[in-house]
């Protein structure tokens, strides 16, 4: 045991240095590409509400299911300074970084500093936490308050300080004004306090006073929350637009899979380590074990029941506040395994050798998590679309709408105006086919935005069927969304001629559809320009060379030899033995002669 204590002391004597490194990694990951993706639907909804007056914000929050006003108020403060996406998302990145710090603090209080460091590292690289630390939504702030309040509860119980109990009460209150699930966290805290009171030591004179101060803090918090409870929470109605979840094992397994980076190997590895960690916590401290087990296991059925109560759909973001506690159990299990395997199995070894084995085992598990599960997910998060690109939709409308054009928005009217105020001024909002047909029959060109949110409209089958059988140009914008350009009395060839003057956003789906359309109707200049832009936007030899070939081919059709040379020489440089290389070489030789 002396060797174990000495080993820990030497390994983690610089815990603050490790923590700074972890927090640095956390912040960099959350600031990276912070403003690159456009705001998605829910983010736009929050920002639009935040731009209103104080009373308008409160009314707007009431219209959003499950929303509480605090994070909207913070967004309102930032949007007064700037509407850049990275500015609006900056608070979430900050809360996410602070959450990693307070998970370290929680791990240190539940087990040890090394446990806190490993748990903090796991949360810092977790793709799920990274995602919601880069959104203009309240999930990151709620996670911060759930961890901060728990740390303050432990600290207040230890010191019996009125100041720290006040901080606990404030954090709980702010948590309630951030997310209604803070009530679940308070419930978990109550069980922890109850277990400590039941198992109280007669020598600890502060037990009664601490229990009283906890109850007083919770009561005060709920009293402060009553105005919003009466104004919004109790008045919220059930919705018929969503499908409530069923409490099934498959749903619980899906949550575990997402906690483990969508990797089936990590499900078994992390699940086993978390189970070991839970057993270790119960064996060392029943009160901590009760708190953590309720948090990790009890939160899922509680969230599903609440969703069923309001006929709301289930999403993994509702379980985000459970993720750090799950990772804390993984860290506890990892530390225990390392202790047993290294410090006990190899206890005859010299201390330096034990230290090397202990560090190697911890690094092995951490590296395995990064290499197998987290790294591919982080890479996919940064490089794949995160949602419908409303910025590109706005650019498409802003660049190409003429004065006489009309825009038909189906179930997404208020969201479109954030990136395209011009489109909104010329828009018609509708939920039925008759309005779409009436606008079409005016003989003016119309733009129809079709998104997956059309499925929430009763007429969605009829609208899609009508669009499929009416001559139109279709511009895909990704994630199942399309922009249709139509005009009564004109076929696709006529519409394609008008589209020659369109300026398109740098969206690969839109550009590819446009390039193929222009090629189909012989508008080679526009096709070549679109393929050329695609070649610059595309990474990956196969796709890039295909676009380079098509760009050169299009310009060859109209005899623009300089551009043909430019694109085909780029092709040969990337793929000298590629599919089109012999043909390109032959044509370039003929151009030279």
């Amino acid at each position: 045991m002396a060797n174990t204590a000495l080993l820990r002391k030497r390994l983690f004597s610089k815990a603050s240095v490790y923590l700074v490194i972890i927090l640095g990694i956390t912040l960099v990951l959350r600031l990276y590409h912070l403003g690159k993706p456009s705001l998605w639907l829910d983010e736009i909804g929050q920002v639009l509400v935040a731009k209103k007056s104080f009373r308008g914000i409160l009314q707007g929050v009431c219209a959003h299911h499950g929303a509480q006003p605090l994070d909207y108020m913070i967004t309102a403060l930032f949007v007064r300074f700037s509407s850049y996406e990275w500015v609006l998302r900056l608070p979430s990145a900050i809360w996410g970084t602070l959450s990693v710090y307070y998970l370290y603090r929680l791990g240190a209080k539940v087990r040890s500093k090394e446990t806190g460091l490993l748990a903090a590292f796991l949360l810092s690289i977790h793709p799920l936490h990274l995602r919601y630390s880069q959104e203009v939504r309240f999930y990151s702030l709620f996670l911060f308050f759930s961890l901060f309040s728990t740390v303050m509860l432990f600290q207040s119980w230890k010191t019996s300080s009125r100041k720290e109990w006040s901080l606990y009460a404030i954090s709980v209150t702010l948590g309630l004004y951030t997310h209604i699930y803070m009530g679940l966290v308070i419930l978990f805290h109550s069980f922890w306090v109850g277990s400590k009171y039941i198992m109280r030591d007669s020598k600890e004179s502060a037990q009664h006073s601490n229990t009283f101060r906890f109850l007083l803090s919770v009561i005060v918090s709920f009293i402060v929350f009553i105005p919003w409870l009466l104004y919004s929470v109790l008045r919220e109605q059930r919705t018929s637009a969503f499908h409530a979840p069923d409490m099934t094992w498959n749903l619980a397994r899906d949550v575990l899979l997402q906690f483990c980076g969508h990797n089936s190997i990590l499900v078994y590895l992390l699940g086993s380590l978390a189970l070991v960690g839970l057993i270790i916590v119960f064996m060392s401290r029943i009160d901590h074990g009760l708190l953590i087990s309720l948090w990790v296991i009890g939160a899922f059925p509680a969230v599903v029941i609440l969703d069923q109560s309001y006929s709301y759909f289930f999403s993994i973001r509702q379980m985000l506040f459970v993720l750090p506690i799950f990772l804390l159990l993984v860290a506890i299990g990892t530390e225990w395994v390392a202790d047993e395997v290294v410090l006990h199995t190899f206890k005859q070894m010299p201390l330096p050798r034990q230290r090397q084995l202990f560090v190697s085992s911890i690094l092995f598990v951490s590296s395995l998590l990064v290499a197998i599960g987290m790294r591919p997910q982080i890479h996919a998060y940064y490089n794949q679309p995160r949602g419908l690109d409303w910025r590109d939709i706005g650019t498409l409308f802003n660049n190409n709408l003429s004065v006489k054009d009309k825009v038909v928005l189906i179930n997404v009217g208020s969201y479109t105006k954030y990136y395209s105020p011009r489109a909104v001024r010329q828009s018609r909002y509708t939920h039925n086919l008759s309005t779409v047909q009436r606008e079409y029959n005016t003989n003016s060109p119309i733009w129809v935005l079709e998104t997956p949110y059309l499925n929430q409209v009763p007429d969605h089958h009829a609208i899609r069927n009508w669009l499929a059988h009416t001559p139109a140009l279709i511009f895909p914008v990704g994630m199942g969304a399309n922009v249709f350009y139509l005009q009564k009395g004109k076929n696709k060839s006529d519409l394609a001629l008008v589209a020659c003057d369109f300026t398109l956003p740098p969206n690969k789906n839109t550009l590819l559809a446009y390039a193929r359309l222009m090629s189909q109707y012989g508008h080679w200049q526009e096709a070549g320009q679109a393929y050329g832009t695609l070649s610059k936007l595309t990474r990956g030899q196969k796709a890039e060379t295909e676009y380079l070939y098509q760009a050169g081919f299009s310009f060859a059709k109209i005899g623009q030899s300089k551009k043909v040379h430019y694109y085909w020489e780029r092709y040969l440089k990337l793929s000298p033995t590629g599919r089109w290389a012999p043909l390109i070489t032959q044509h370039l030789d003929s151009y030279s002669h």
Side-chain angles (χ1 to χ4, degrees), residues 30 34 42 58 61 76 100 131 154 172 201 223 227 236 259 262 343 385 390 398 401-402 413 491 506 563 573:
R30 279 144 189 79
L34 189 60
D42 285 3
L58 296 182
V61 172
V100 171
R131 172 185 174 183
F154 283 19
V172 167
D201 188 339
I223 290 174
E236 187 165 339
F259 277 8
H262 288 279
L343 303 184
W390 290 93
N398 293 337
L401 281 177
S402 66
N491 57 31
K563 291 188 176 181
K573 187 176 181 180

Side-chain angles (χ1 to χ4, degrees), residues 10 52 58 63 85 120-121 211 256 281 293 303 322 371-372 376 411 430 471 534 543 557 576:
R10 290 185 178 182
K52 299 179 180 180
L58 296 182
E85 290 88 347
F121 172 70
T211 304
L256 181 60
V281 173
S293 61
V303 168
V322 180
I372 295 180
N411 204 34
T430 184
L534 275 169
K557 285 285 189 178

Side-chain angles (χ1 to χ4, degrees), residues 65 180-181 233-234 236-240 242-247 301-314 318:
H65 178 81
I180 195 64
Y181 290 173
V233 178
L234 296 180
E236 187 165 339
Q237 301 296 318
R238 293 169 62 95
T239 177
S240 59
F242 305 112
H243 176 69
D246 296 321
M247 196 180 303
V303 168
V304 172
I305 290 171
L306 287 171
D307 285 341
Q308 291 173 343
S309 301
Y310 287 95
S311 298
Y312 195 65
F313 68 92
F314 178 84
Q318 298 169 350

